[in-house]
């Protein structure tokens, strides 16, 4: 637990569950007649709701973006380093909204939630989601909160893809878009990594074709393997060398198949922790949404043409050692925005941490982030840049 909650923390926060009963048509052809989203908010919405920031989460993220749920919490929200008083996303200036996407496993309607039609968990019967589906549900959330236009929509990785899609699908509803450590679509290699992870889960004997809730089981081994594979791709070779090298846990080789290198122990720990905290059906769903994402497809596979729909300003950030979504992929987005004659800033941050760098308070990254958020604040309509009732 934090001995003392830091002054730059948003403090103790409480999630909210919001019910929706207007049917949501999905790209897969199915309809969610009713659903709910769990959210957290930080800071105060100003008088005309012009200081609101939407945070879109990555594959394993959720609504708990900053602060603590209780004084006993050991760790704050997943992006606490960037959100709070005096931080890049300053909650003394902005009203910040984080949510758990549809299909998630942290409280929003998803595979581990009850299907109102059957009274049982949805399981594998929960519909497959796409990034545009999530954006549509987030637009309804904005309506519910009385937010007609976001000051900014911000996300890293899969969250950055959602932010980009916002600029295409709802161009009039955001003034700024921050796309961090993302890509305009997955490479074949990335799709391959996701498929190996899905196979690890679906071939686990305790998966039961996704109906493991009814068997009171969890495909733990499959989830562990999926997370271990994913975690390797989130780190860089430089970062792993710096963090682990070839250090032996006991200082000598034991000539057996137990974990002997520090990196082996670390990956097993990450996999074990993930297998008890995340839902297998949600992992399958989220990785498929990643695979399907291609905003240029409806525009003759021309990304510049897709982004010509946008009217907001953009900030694109990449990290030098991110090989999951390399800087080249961010430059694809930036080049398409330039071709579409949009206002865009681009920064490539030198970092050894790989894809995970977008979650880490690297000084240069935080400086760039804060500087751009000053621009976002400057574009709040005059007289409305202070929080209020």
């Amino acid at each position: 637990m934090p001995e003392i909650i830091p002054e730059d923390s948003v403090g103790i926060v409480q999630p909210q569950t919001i019910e929706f009963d207007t049917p949501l048509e999905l790209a897969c052809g199915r309809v969610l007649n009713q659903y709910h989203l769990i959210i957290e908010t930080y800071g105060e919405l100003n008088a005309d709701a012009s200081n609101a920031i939407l945070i879109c989460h990555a594959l394993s993220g959720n609504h708990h973006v900053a602060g603590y749920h209780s004084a006993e919490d050991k760790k704050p929200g997943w992006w606490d380093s960037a959100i709070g008083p005096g931080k890049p996303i300053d909650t003394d200036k902005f009203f910040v909204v984080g949510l758990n996407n549809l299909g998630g496993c942290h409280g929003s309607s998803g595979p581990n939630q009850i299907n109102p039609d059957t009274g049982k968990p949805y399981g594998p019967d929960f519909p497959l989601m796409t990034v545009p589906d999530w954006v549509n549900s987030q637009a309804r959330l904005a309506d519910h909160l009385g937010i007609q236009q976001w000051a900014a929509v911000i996300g890293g990785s899969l969250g950055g893809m959602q932010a980009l899609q916002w600029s295409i699908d709802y161009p009039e509803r955001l003034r700024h878009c921050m796309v961090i450590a993302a890509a305009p679509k997955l490479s074949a290699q990335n799709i391959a990594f996701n498929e190996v992870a899905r196979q690890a889960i679906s071939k686990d004997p305790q998966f039961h074709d996704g109906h493991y809730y009814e068997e009171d089981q969890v495909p733990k081994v499959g989830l562990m393997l999926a997370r271990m594979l994913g975690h390797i791709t989130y780190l860089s070779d430089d970062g792993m060398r710096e963090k682990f090298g070839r250090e032996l846990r006991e200082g000598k080789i034991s000539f057996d198949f137990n974990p002997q290198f520090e990196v082996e122990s670390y990956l097993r720990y990450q996999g074990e922790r993930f297998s008890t905290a995340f839902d297998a059906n949600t992992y399958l769903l989220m990785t498929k949404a990643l695979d399907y994402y291609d905003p240029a497809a409806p525009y003759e596979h021309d990304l510049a043409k897709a982004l010509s729909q946008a009217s907001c300003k953009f900030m694109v950030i990449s990290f030098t050692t991110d090989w999951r979504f390399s800087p080249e992929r961010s430059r694809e987005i930036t080049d398409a925005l330039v071709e579409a004659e949009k206002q865009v800033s681009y920064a490539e941050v030198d970092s050894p941490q790989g894809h995970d760098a977008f979650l880490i308070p690297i000084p240069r990254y935080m400086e760039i982030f804060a500087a751009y958020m000053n621009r976002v604040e400057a574009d709040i309509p005059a007289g409305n840049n202070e929080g209020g009732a």
Side-chain angles (χ1 to χ4, degrees):
M1 60 175 272
E3 294 182 6
I4 300 175
I5 293 177
E7 289 184 3
D8 62 355
S9 169
V10 297
I12 305 295
V13 296
Q14 295 296 326
Q16 309 167 46
T17 300
I18 300 172
E19 303 286 345
F20 296 86
D21 57 12
T22 301
L24 181 67
E25 296 183 5
L26 304 171
C28 66
R30 294 178 59 185
V31 177
L32 279 176
N33 290 315
Q34 58 189 59
Y35 56 94
H36 58 270
L37 295 174
I38 188 166
I39 71 168
E40 285 182 9
T41 66
Y42 323 108
E44 294 186 28
L45 191 62
N46 64 9
D48 66 350
S50 61
N51 70 331
I53 305 285
L54 177 66
I55 305 297
C56 301
H57 69 73
L59 189 151
S60 59
N62 55 38
H63 57 284
H64 186 39
V65 187
Y68 300 85
H69 283 158
S70 73
E72 287 71 44
D73 269 6
K74 293 182 179 180
K75 289 186 176 180
W78 57 267
W79 221 6
D80 190 80
S81 60
I83 299 171
K87 294 178 181 177
I89 304 176
D90 192 334
T91 50
D92 287 337
K93 301 173 181 177
F94 299 107
F95 176 73
V96 183
V97 180
L99 82 158
N100 186 213
N101 281 343
L102 283 175
C105 57
H106 294 97
S108 291
S109 292
N112 68 347
Q113 295 290 299
I114 298 299
N115 181 344
D117 294 333
T118 65
K120 297 178 180 179
Y122 280 99
D125 298 326
F126 194 83
L128 285 179
M129 307 298 295
T130 66
V131 169
D133 291 333
W134 285 332
V135 170
N136 288 337
S137 70
Q138 292 161 7
R140 291 190 179 181
L141 173 62
D143 293 341
H144 175 85
L145 296 172
I147 298 165
Q148 292 305 306
Q149 186 182 66
W150 299 101
V153 178
I154 302 173
S157 191
L158 177 56
M161 294 174 172
Q162 294 167 62
L164 195 65
Q165 193 66 40
W166 258 98
S167 74
I168 297 169
D169 290 351
Y170 295 94
E172 74 288 350
R173 299 201 65 174
L174 70 165
R175 293 191 295 278
H176 290 266
C177 175
M178 286 192 73
V179 181
I180 306 170
K185 61 183 176 183
L186 289 198
S187 64
Q189 183 187 53
N190 269 309
I191 294 172
F193 281 126
N194 285 345
E195 176 58 11
V196 172
R198 287 191 293 266
Q199 286 295 311
I201 291 170
S202 61
K203 295 298 188 289
D204 188 310
Q206 295 191 327
F207 183 65
H208 298 286
D209 294 323
H211 296 283
Y212 46 88
Y213 313 106
E214 299 161 26
E215 305 293 333
D216 197 25
Q217 293 182 341
V218 174
K220 187 172 181 179
V221 172
L223 270 169
M224 284 184 64
L225 292 172
R227 185 57 172 180
M228 289 169 72
L229 173 66
H231 211 72
I232 292 169
T233 71
Y234 303 148
L235 303 173
S236 71
D237 186 36
D238 289 345
M240 293 178 80
R241 187 185 308 113
E242 183 179 292
K243 190 169 186 176
F244 306 109
R246 287 179 50 86
E247 294 299 317
L248 292 163
R249 297 179 66 202
E250 306 298 331
K252 62 181 180 179
I253 294 173
S254 59
F255 295 100
D256 58 36
F257 294 107
N258 292 314
Q260 296 164 58
F261 292 92
E262 290 289 354
V263 68
E264 294 175 300
S265 178
Y266 172 78
L267 287 174
R268 291 196 185 192
Y269 166 76
Q270 290 292 336
E272 178 77 27
R273 188 176 68 167
F274 188 77
S275 70
T276 61
F278 208 79
D279 180 68
N281 282 319
T282 288
Y283 197 92
L284 301 185
L285 180 153
M286 291 282 181
T287 55
K288 270 298 181 184
L290 263 169
D291 291 354
Y292 291 152
Y293 186 62
D294 184 0
Y299 299 90
E300 302 172 342
H301 296 279
D302 184 335
L303 185 59
K305 190 172 182 179
L307 291 170
S308 68
Q309 316 304 311
S311 59
C312 64
K313 300 172 185 176
F314 292 84
M315 178 76 227
V316 181
I317 300 176
S318 67
F319 299 89
T320 52
T321 57
D322 182 355
W323 59 277
R324 187 79 194 250
F325 292 150
S326 68
E328 287 78 8
R329 308 310 308 280
S330 288
R331 290 197 290 270
E332 283 181 46
I333 297 171
T334 304
D335 290 346
L337 286 166
V338 171
E339 184 180 342
E341 300 182 342
K342 304 302 174 183
Q343 294 188 52
V344 55
S345 300
Y346 173 69
E348 186 173 313
V349 178
D350 190 16
S351 157
Q353 288 97 345
H355 186 59
D356 269 354
F358 84 92
L359 297 168
I360 298 169
I362 300 161
R364 180 60 179 154
Y365 170 37
M366 291 293 102
E367 289 171 7
I368 293 165
F369 205 149
Y372 193 79
M373 292 309 298
N374 287 338
R375 296 188 188 181
V376 176
E377 182 190 5
D379 281 345
I380 294 174
N384 294 303
N385 60 348
E386 295 182 2

